Amino acid sequence: MTSISFTSGELLDIISALEEKENLAYLVDYDPGLAAYYMNLGNQFQRIYDKLQEFAPENRVANLVLAVN
């Protein structure tokens, strides 16, 4: 089993970087498909961040686990 932990701040940094990539893909590269890809990734991290906000500040760490059966 493999796991990765993200703090709220790290998630916000990832979301911000993905938004920047989305804007560059759309405005500079004129590639709406690539922009949509980055937007979808950003939305997934945003959902994780939103879920973390439901917890007490000392417990706001997302532990993502990859489990294979």
Side-chain angles (χ1 to χ4, degrees):
M1 180 169 36
T2 303
S3 67
I4 301 172
S5 296
F6 294 108
T7 65
S8 293
E10 289 170 330
L11 289 170
L12 290 174
D13 289 342
I14 292 168
I15 293 165
S16 177
L18 288 168
E19 286 173 348
E20 187 173 320
K21 294 289 283 183
E22 175 192 352
N23 288 334
L24 289 173
Y26 191 77
L27 298 173
V28 175
D29 298 333
Y30 309 108
D31 190 341
L34 184 58
Y37 169 79
Y38 287 122
M39 181 185 69
N40 288 331
L41 280 175
N43 287 341
Q44 290 179 50
F45 281 100
Q46 183 68 50
R47 284 197 304 271
I48 295 168
Y49 175 81
D50 292 343
K51 189 66 176 174
L52 278 183
Q53 301 315 300
E54 297 174 8
F55 301 113
E58 62 272 10
N59 295 328
R60 287 187 184 165
V61 175
N63 295 304
L64 306 179
V65 177
L66 173 64
V68 179
N69 51 354

